[in-house]
């Protein structure tokens, strides 16, 4: 309450201060805010990076009265997420799913019959580009609306209170500032010995812009990015093989029961998986790429052939050549910037958020950190519960989770109850003929507090937010089960799973 009041009255306070040069009668928190701000034309905060964490932090800072500059190296705002990540991939996932429904028996089974289904990949890519352009342009509008100054160029911290921006024309601009916030994001992790050309050997960036559907695609990695992009091209007609070092799909954090069911559904759709398998090399012979694989624990090597090789083994912090070493900020073993609970580095005037610090590399996590960080700069509390940050895989069905999975609870020795409800017993899923999936919740055996939720279904990415709200406020499984849910909705499955966790049985299964 006090912080939001500060944000509303700060412009008036600033005008009074300019006239009287004093805030003697102001509350202590406002006096602390004043000491954090610079004077004259110098900005109060320079944000380096305009991805979800950076642009949100910049806007929030401006709304709280800070004179804010945002430096972005790309031609457009939005960072990886909006330009070559979350947004374009979701556009392709949605449209490829519609094409898949039309080109298989799905539409026919619903009584929708037609002839001459045809894929226009160029037009599909055009819709993706239009979505990206609209959203990146939206950020530029928000910057103007909130009086955030945008400086284009590569930003490097050249002092505790200075950012040097290398412009595209070869010039440099030095910006003096009271505080610096690093929201520099991450980059594709390279695979040793395999050179990416973004044409036949591609990263996730190149996989979003292929000019034609490859007949055969091999992808290294079956984590979140891998199964999403693999699904896109499989739906459009490619034979996709996913080679994964681990023994499961879906990456870190996914519940193993959900992962096994998820893999079964994806395999039924047409994706092929080689788990517990490692890639040892790849070479190009004409238009064919030959990929050498062998068991993860060692064994006989085999060779696979493909037209396009997708390397998606994860991402790493983008923290090189941004001035950390010169300032004495030591990166951790994974290249991340160490920060305290206020997102402050070892240099008090420099802060960092998002993919370049600890925690999951998720856009919404970076956004929350950005808001919390700048609120802290203005005297507010800085707190985030990473256990309440959801994860989503946007395939069909979607997979989403939050909190602990069964494997983690067993490892930590926490007693728990399990509640499950299959979507085949959910009325809305039945009406939609979209029953693949289930809802699984984990509740504390003694207190009934919700410890984790794991959802696989067509709208899992939407449903997980109910679980996030419940966990953030410490709700029990009984609390959720006693909340009236609209009928018929897929959300009723979440209620039923919580009912099963606390009472032992659901109603409709």
């Amino acid at each position: 309450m006090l912080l939001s009041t500060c944000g509303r009255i700060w412009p008036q306070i600033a005008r009074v201060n300019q006239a009287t040069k004093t805030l003697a009668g102001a509350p202590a928190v406002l006096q602390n805010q004043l000491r954090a701000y610079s004077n004259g034309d110098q900005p109060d905060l320079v944000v380096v990076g305009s991805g979800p964490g950076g642009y949100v932090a910049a806007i929030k800072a401006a709304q709280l009265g800070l004179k804010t500059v945002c430096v972005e190296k790309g031609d457009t705002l939005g960072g990886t997420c909006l330009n070559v990540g979350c947004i374009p991939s979701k556009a392709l996932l949605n449209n490829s799913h519609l094409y898949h429904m039309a080109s298989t028996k799905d539409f026919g089974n619903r009584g929708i019959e037609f002839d001459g289904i045809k894929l226009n990949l160029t037009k599909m890519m055009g819709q993706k580009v239009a979505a990206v352009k609209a959203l990146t342009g939206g950020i530029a509008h928000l910057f103007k609306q909130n009086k955030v100054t945008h400086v284009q160029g590569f930003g490097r911290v050249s002092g505790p209170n200075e950012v040097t921006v290398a412009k595209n024309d070869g010039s440099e601009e030095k910006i003096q500032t009271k505080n610096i916030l690093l929201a520099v994001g991450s980059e594709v992790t390279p695979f040793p010995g395999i050179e990416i050309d973004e044409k036949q050997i591609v990263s996730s960036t190149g996989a979003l812009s292929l000019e034609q559907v490859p007949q055969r695609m091999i992808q290294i990695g079956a984590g979140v990015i891998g199964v999403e992009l693999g699904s896109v091209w499989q739906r459009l007609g490619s034979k996709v093989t996913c080679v994964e070092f681990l023994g499961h799909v879906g990456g870190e954090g996914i519940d193993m029961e959900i992962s096994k069911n998820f893999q079964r559904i994806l395999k039924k759709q047409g994706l092929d998986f080689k788990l517990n398998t490692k890639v040892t090399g790849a070479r190009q012979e004409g238009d064919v790429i030959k990929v050498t694989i062998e068991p993860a624990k060692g064994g006989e090597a085999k060779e696979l052939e493909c037209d396009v090789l997708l390397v998606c083994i994860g991402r790493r912090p983008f923290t090189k050549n941004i001035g950390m070493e010169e300032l004495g900020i030591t990166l951790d073993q994974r290249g991340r910037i160490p920060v305290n609970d206020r997102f402050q580095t070892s240099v008090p005037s420099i802060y960092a958020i998002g993919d370049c610090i600890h925690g999951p590399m998720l856009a919404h996590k970076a956004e929350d950190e950005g808001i919390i960080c700048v609120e802290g700069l203005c005297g507010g509390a800085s707190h985030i519960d990473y256990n309440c940050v959801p994860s989503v895989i946007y395939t069909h069905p979607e997979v989403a989770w939050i909190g602990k999975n069964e494997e983690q609870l067993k490892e930590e020795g926490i007693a728990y109850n399990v509640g499950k409800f299959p979507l085949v017993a959910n009325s809305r899923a039945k009406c939609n003929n979209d029953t693949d999936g289930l809802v699984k919740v984990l509740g504390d055996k003694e207190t009934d507090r919700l410890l984790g939720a794991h959802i696989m279904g067509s709208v899992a990415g939407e449903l997980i937010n109910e679980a996030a709200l419940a966990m953030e406020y410490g709700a029990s499984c009984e609390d959720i089960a006693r909340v009236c849910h609209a009928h018929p909705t897929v959300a009723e499955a979440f209620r039923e799973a919580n009912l099963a966790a606390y009472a032992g049985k659901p109603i409709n299964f």
Side-chain angles (χ1 to χ4, degrees):
M1 176 67 76
L2 179 59
L3 183 60
S4 62
T5 302
C6 288
R8 290 195 300 272
I9 69 172
W10 171 249
Q12 289 87 344
I13 292 172
R15 284 195 289 272
V16 172
N17 179 52
Q18 204 168 27
T20 64
K21 304 298 183 183
T22 181
L23 276 175
V29 65
L30 296 183
Q31 294 181 23
N32 288 339
Q33 281 184 297
L34 182 62
R35 287 195 295 271
Y37 298 152
S38 60
N39 297 316
D41 294 330
Q42 189 182 92
D44 301 303
L45 177 67
V46 171
V47 180
V48 182
S50 72
Y55 91 77
V56 167
I59 291 172
K60 186 64 176 179
Q63 290 174 346
L64 291 174
L66 296 176
K67 185 171 183 178
T68 307
V69 172
C70 185
V71 178
E72 169 56 49
K73 63 179 169 54
D75 294 333
T76 55
L77 298 169
T80 295
C81 175
L82 271 75
N83 288 280
V84 290
C86 316
I87 299 306
S89 65
K90 302 312 166 279
L92 291 180
L93 279 159
N94 181 65
N95 291 333
S96 64
H97 175 60
L98 295 175
Y99 174 77
H100 186 258
M101 291 177 72
S103 60
T104 60
K105 296 179 180 179
D106 195 291
F107 275 5
N109 291 338
R110 299 169 190 270
I112 304 171
E113 299 177 351
F114 52 88
D115 296 319
I117 180 71
K118 180 182 177 183
L119 172 66
N120 187 329
L121 186 60
T122 301
K123 188 171 285 189
M124 184 178 286
M125 290 294 177
Q127 192 276 329
K128 174 205 72 173
V129 171
V132 170
K133 185 177 180 181
L135 290 169
T136 55
I139 299 174
H141 173 72
L142 289 170
F143 273 13
K144 186 176 181 180
Q145 188 178 38
N146 289 279
K147 296 180 173 60
V148 175
T149 301
H150 169 211
V151 176
Q152 186 178 355
F154 186 93
R156 178 177 57 84
V157 182
S158 47
N161 302 100
E162 183 182 80
V163 173
T164 298
V165 183
K167 304 291 190 67
N168 290 339
D169 61 6
S171 65
E172 281 192 350
E173 178 181 352
K174 292 186 182 295
I175 306 173
Q176 302 295 324
T177 178
K178 188 67 176 178
N179 300 292
I180 299 168
L181 175 55
L182 297 170
V184 292
S186 59
E187 61 183 350
V188 171
T189 301
F191 192 99
I194 298 179
E195 187 174 346
I196 291 173
D197 60 17
E198 299 296 15
K199 294 186 181 298
Q200 276 193 281
I201 302 178
V202 299
S203 69
S204 57
T205 300
L208 293 169
S209 301
L210 294 178
E211 296 179 356
Q212 60 184 18
V213 178
Q215 185 177 350
R216 301 164 298 175
M217 171 183 277
I218 293 175
Q219 58 180 61
I220 307 174
V224 174
I225 299 172
V227 293
E228 286 185 353
L229 293 176
S231 289
V232 167
W233 293 107
Q234 183 273 322
R235 294 166 184 169
L236 298 180
S238 182
K239 178 176 173 53
V240 178
T241 302
C242 307
V243 182
E244 172 57 55
F245 185 83
L246 299 177
H248 68 273
V249 305
E252 294 182 11
I254 192 170
D255 184 271
M256 287 301 103
E257 180 182 10
I258 297 292
S259 178
K260 289 176 183 176
N261 280 279
F262 184 41
Q263 181 188 344
R264 176 181 54 80
I265 292 170
L266 292 179
K267 188 172 182 179
K268 185 179 177 182
Q269 291 176 0
L271 285 174
D272 186 29
F273 294 97
K274 295 189 180 299
L275 305 181
N276 296 305
T277 303
K278 62 183 178 182
V279 172
T280 58
R283 69 183 190 279
Q284 195 165 347
E285 294 184 3
D287 293 332
V288 176
I289 300 168
K290 297 190 175 182
V291 182
T292 306
I293 63 171
E294 64 180 52
K297 294 183 179 179
E300 182 181 354
K302 295 181 180 179
E303 196 169 75
L304 305 176
E305 293 185 354
C306 63
D307 306 297
V308 170
L309 174 63
L310 168 57
V311 180
C312 47
I313 57 173
R315 300 184 64 84
R316 64 183 183 185
F318 186 83
T319 49
K320 289 185 178 180
N321 303 317
I322 60 169
M324 295 298 93
E325 295 82 1
E326 292 83 348
L327 287 170
I329 298 176
T330 304
L331 305 178
D332 70 11
Q333 69 276 12
R334 296 175 67 178
R336 300 174 299 191
I337 302 171
V339 294
N340 61 19
D341 58 4
R342 297 180 68 83
F343 304 102
Q344 197 172 35
T345 69
S346 56
V347 178
S349 58
I350 301 176
Y351 299 76
I353 61 166
D355 287 5
C356 66
I357 68 168
H358 64 272
M361 289 184 174
L362 298 169
H364 44 282
K365 174 257 198 187
E367 289 180 0
D368 276 21
E369 289 175 339
I371 291 172
I372 292 166
C373 179
V374 297
E375 285 180 341
L377 275 172
C378 294
S382 298
H383 172 72
I384 183 170
D385 184 353
Y386 289 108
N387 192 52
C388 293
V389 175
S391 296
V392 184
I393 304 175
Y394 294 89
T395 48
H396 193 92
E398 295 177 347
V399 177
W401 65 89
I402 189 170
K404 304 289 186 181
N405 58 41
E406 273 205 82
E407 291 70 35
Q408 290 169 330
L409 292 176
K410 288 175 182 177
E411 186 178 340
E412 295 172 16
I414 299 173
Y416 61 93
N417 292 321
V418 181
K420 301 178 189 177
F421 194 81
L423 292 190
V424 71
N426 174 261
S427 56
R428 185 64 187 277
K430 274 286 190 184
C431 292
N432 294 347
N433 193 26
D434 201 356
T435 56
D436 281 339
L438 75 152
V439 177
K440 175 180 179 180
V441 300
L442 306 170
D444 189 281
K445 200 172 187 67
E446 292 185 14
T447 67
D448 192 39
R449 181 169 181 162
L450 181 65
L451 300 176
H454 306 270
I455 306 173
M456 179 168 59
S458 61
V459 290
E462 305 295 334
L463 289 185
I464 201 64
N465 297 299
E466 182 178 352
L469 182 63
M471 287 184 61
E472 193 69 65
Y473 284 90
S476 67
C477 295
E478 182 180 1
D479 289 334
I480 300 164
R482 292 193 180 278
V483 172
C484 185
H485 285 61
H487 174 80
T489 59
V490 183
E492 289 178 287
F494 184 64
R495 182 189 194 185
E496 293 265 19
N498 278 279
L499 180 62
Y502 103 86
K505 291 183 178 180
I507 296 295
N508 288 290
F509 183 70

